[in-house]
Amino acid sequence: MTDEIELTPEPKILIESLRDIGYSFESALADVIDNSITANASTINIMALPVNDSFKVAILDDGNGLDRESLLRAMRLGSSNPRDERAIGDLGRFGLGLKTASFSQCRRLTVVSRRDGQTSAFTWDLDTVVRENSWSVLERTDYNEIFGYDTLPENGTLVLWEKVDRLTGGNGSGRVDYDRVISEAQDHLSLVFHRFLSKEKGTPNLNISFNGCGLEPLDPFNMSNDATQASPEEIVCTGVTLRSFTLPHISTYADKAAYERYGLRGGYLRNQGVYLYRAKRLIIFGTWFGLAKKTALTQLTRVKIDIGTDQDETWKIDVKKVSAQMPEIVRKRVKTLIQAIGAPSRKVYSRRGARLTSPDVYPIWTRSENGEKTTYGINMEHPLVRAFGNELDDSLRNRFNSLMAFIGSMLPTEALFYDISNNADAVESQRLSHDDFATNARTFYAAIMQFKDEEGAIESMRSIEPYRSRWNETLSALGIEEL
């Protein structure tokens, strides 16, 4: 015989544990916005402001709003069954997001909702829950005392965070770099909801403002840039579509700031990989799901995968919607595609590398392969090196050749690999001074004039580095005016 014994969770213990699920400030905001989108909001206003020596966050929408009973039910932890079938645009799942996201940032959550002229409001105060050890919410009627209430639309909802201790300390008045926090949150929301903000076909018409600043969409694939390479969209399996992109190289941008903007926070190397969208809302990005390593050669590669809300169970979407497991059928397909997916990005960088070692461009470095080994060395047949060696007597020439061989053997491969892997675009060669550049340009020109005519020598120099990128200096050093 067995007896059932009810073990009711201790409210004061469980409520504190629920705060540590792992939300960041920006991911918590995104989870609240999901509810607004599900409620058919077209305008969402976020206010995150220091008020009376404390920090308050208010999220207002013009969605459908809730009546009293619906709002009270929504305030319950676990207000919906994650196994229930979701509407196509329903971004919720567990019935926990609003509460756990808010609790992760604040100790006092108030939700005010208005529908058909009727207003209701309830407050979760975690200090009250802990003190009374009871799952009790406070019903509010003092609407005018609630921050942000005066801007609540005729139909809509206000979510208010107070006692924001995770940012500001225990009493909500600690010192915080608000500018950084708000800027990072704005960038995150511009990215996560970029398909809504850009009015993509099939998404609700959505506008989000943050402290009075309208958010612009941040498309991680930079599809408006003609230099972006995109593959055709393909169906990997039922309910899963995939499309790969290779972003433009830095050399195609006139403005470095624009290039860095699309690198996202952390840069291109960190943010390569899969961008997983659930109902067109970005939930996970910058990961290969263990299928490939992040390398400099594929740092311009990003892969868009779209799934619907009916895929939650298959992908094991978590409460925060920032973690998922790629189903085996998708892993197998993506694994076979991974090399092809990365090929355009490799080509962008390999093409640049080829210019350094092609025999048609007088490389200063040679590259040779012997089995599994690739060896680099100084090209003793380079016109500048050969011209200098020819001016030496036999003794000095031998010493010069030995010195060049020594320098060639000391190529800092480990340091180069480390630097390029971390940020390939930040690695560059030492720049020649104007005088050194002019001297070498004249010497190189004289060397190749021994087997080319003047026009051929000029055209050769126009196509190779370092002369190509400093062409006006090259012409000046040679005393040539280009018509």
Side-chain angles (χ1 to χ4, degrees):
M1 180 177 178
T2 58
D3 294 326
E4 291 186 1
I5 302 174
E6 183 176 351
L7 291 175
T8 305
E10 287 278 350
K12 65 182 180 182
I13 296 175
L14 183 57
I15 199 70
E16 297 291 359
S17 299
L18 286 173
R19 305 195 71 203
D20 295 319
I21 289 181
Y23 282 97
S24 63
F25 179 70
E26 56 258 37
S27 65
L29 283 176
D31 225 348
V32 174
I33 290 173
D34 287 343
N35 289 302
S36 297
I37 294 174
T38 300
N40 300 312
S42 60
T43 300
I44 299 170
N45 295 319
I46 303 169
M47 295 183 288
L49 303 166
V51 178
N52 297 328
D53 297 325
S54 65
F55 188 65
K56 297 181 187 292
V57 179
I59 304 102
L60 296 108
D61 69 50
D62 62 352
N64 298 331
L66 298 167
D67 59 32
R68 180 184 180 279
E69 292 305 313
S70 298
L71 177 57
L72 185 58
R73 186 166 54 252
M75 295 295 281
R76 182 190 301 275
L77 291 169
S79 57
S80 63
N81 188 336
R83 303 292 184 266
D84 290 346
E85 184 176 346
R86 294 274 174 181
I88 292 176
D90 187 349
L91 296 181
R93 185 188 177 198
F94 290 91
L96 286 170
L98 169 64
K99 284 79 68 174
T100 54
S102 300
F103 294 162
S104 75
Q105 304 301 310
C106 70
R107 297 193 65 82
R108 186 175 173 88
L109 164 66
T110 298
V111 182
V112 185
S113 199
R114 182 179 292 154
R115 184 168 186 171
D116 298 329
Q118 300 297 314
T119 302
S120 306
F122 293 94
T123 293
W124 274 110
D125 191 313
L126 303 194
D127 293 329
T128 301
V129 172
V130 170
R131 184 176 63 252
E132 298 182 2
N133 200 25
S134 171
W135 297 110
S136 300
V137 294
L138 308 173
E139 185 164 9
R140 305 284 296 275
T141 56
D142 57 338
Y143 304 136
N144 291 325
E145 301 299 317
I146 300 174
F147 176 76
Y149 172 77
D150 57 333
T151 59
L152 186 65
E154 182 176 346
N155 284 294
T157 300
L158 160 66
V159 176
L160 175 63
W161 296 349
E162 299 173 287
K163 300 180 183 178
V164 189
D165 59 328
R166 290 302 167 93
L167 280 182
T168 61
N171 63 2
S173 61
R175 295 181 62 83
V176 177
D177 185 351
Y178 292 117
D179 289 342
R180 177 189 60 80
V181 170
I182 290 170
S183 176
E184 290 180 353
Q186 289 173 329
D187 288 345
H188 182 77
L189 299 180
S190 293
L191 174 64
V192 167
F193 297 104
H194 75 93
R195 297 171 74 175
F196 296 84
L197 295 171
S198 64
K199 314 298 190 293
E200 180 179 312
K201 184 178 180 180
T203 64
N205 188 352
L206 182 66
N207 295 289
I208 302 176
S209 69
F210 201 127
N211 286 350
C213 177
L215 298 187
E216 296 294 329
L218 177 53
D219 172 18
F221 312 111
N222 197 4
M223 286 190 283
S224 64
N225 192 318
D226 292 338
T228 294
Q229 302 171 41
S231 72
E233 185 175 88
E234 66 169 281
I235 298 174
V236 178
C237 61
T238 302
V240 180
T241 61
L242 176 150
R243 192 179 189 192
S244 65
F245 297 83
T246 300
L247 275 64
H249 189 268
I250 188 173
S251 61
T252 66
Y253 290 84
D255 182 2
K256 185 178 180 182
Y259 170 75
E260 292 176 346
R261 171 175 169 78
Y262 290 101
L264 309 180
R265 194 192 313 170
Y268 285 88
L269 183 67
R270 176 180 174 182
N271 291 301
Q272 64 181 280
V274 171
Y275 284 61
L276 180 63
Y277 292 82
R278 174 182 179 267
K280 300 191 177 182
R281 189 267 211 206
L282 181 60
I283 61 173
I284 298 168
F285 64 94
T287 175
W288 286 117
F289 283 95
L291 295 173
K293 292 181 179 180
K294 293 183 177 182
T295 69
L297 289 178
T298 55
Q299 68 174 335
L300 298 179
T301 301
R302 294 177 183 174
V303 181
K304 180 173 75 171
I305 294 182
D306 270 302
I307 63 173
T309 54
D310 58 343
Q311 295 284 315
D312 286 352
E313 192 70 21
T314 305
W315 284 76
K316 296 180 174 58
I317 307 297
D318 73 341
V319 174
K320 307 187 301 296
K321 296 189 283 288
V322 296
S323 176
Q325 295 180 34
M326 186 178 283
E328 191 59 33
I329 187 172
V330 182
R331 289 182 65 86
K332 287 181 179 179
R333 179 61 177 144
V334 172
K335 194 170 183 177
T336 62
L337 294 173
I338 204 77
Q339 289 300 113
I341 287 171
S345 183
R346 289 192 183 93
K347 228 176 271 185
V348 169
Y349 283 101
S350 297
R351 193 179 299 122
R352 288 167 60 82
R355 288 202 295 264
L356 301 178
T357 56
S358 168
D360 299 325
V361 295
Y362 306 104
I364 194 67
W365 290 94
T366 61
R367 179 182 182 275
S368 61
E369 295 183 4
N370 182 13
E372 296 182 354
K373 295 288 186 180
T374 301
T375 303
Y376 285 84
I378 293 177
N379 179 14
M380 299 302 293
E381 295 302 313
H382 187 279
L384 285 176
V385 177
R386 186 172 57 189
F388 184 82
N390 288 341
E391 295 178 4
L392 304 176
D393 58 33
D394 290 344
S395 176
L396 286 176
R397 187 181 301 114
N398 290 335
R399 291 173 60 187
F400 173 70
N401 290 341
S402 295
L403 176 61
M404 291 295 100
F406 175 75
I407 294 173
S409 71
M410 298 302 290
L411 181 70
T413 52
E414 292 184 5
L416 280 171
F417 179 80
Y418 174 82
D419 291 335
I420 292 173
S421 296
N422 279 279
N423 189 353
D425 294 319
V427 179
E428 59 182 23
S429 302
Q430 179 177 318
R431 184 176 175 84
L432 281 172
S433 69
H434 175 75
D435 290 343
D436 287 339
F437 178 84
T439 298
N440 281 279
R442 288 190 288 268
T443 303
F444 185 89
Y445 177 75
I448 62 174
M449 276 291 288
Q450 296 179 25
F451 49 90
K452 287 179 179 286
D453 59 22
E454 181 177 354
E455 182 177 351
I458 293 297
E459 287 306 309
S460 292
M461 294 181 72
R462 188 200 300 272
S463 64
I464 63 176
E465 293 294 352
Y467 312 113
R468 181 174 64 89
S469 59
R470 299 172 68 171
W471 187 238
N472 288 336
E473 278 188 83
T474 301
L475 293 176
S476 177
L478 301 179
I480 296 174
E481 290 187 8
E482 192 170 40
L483 299 178

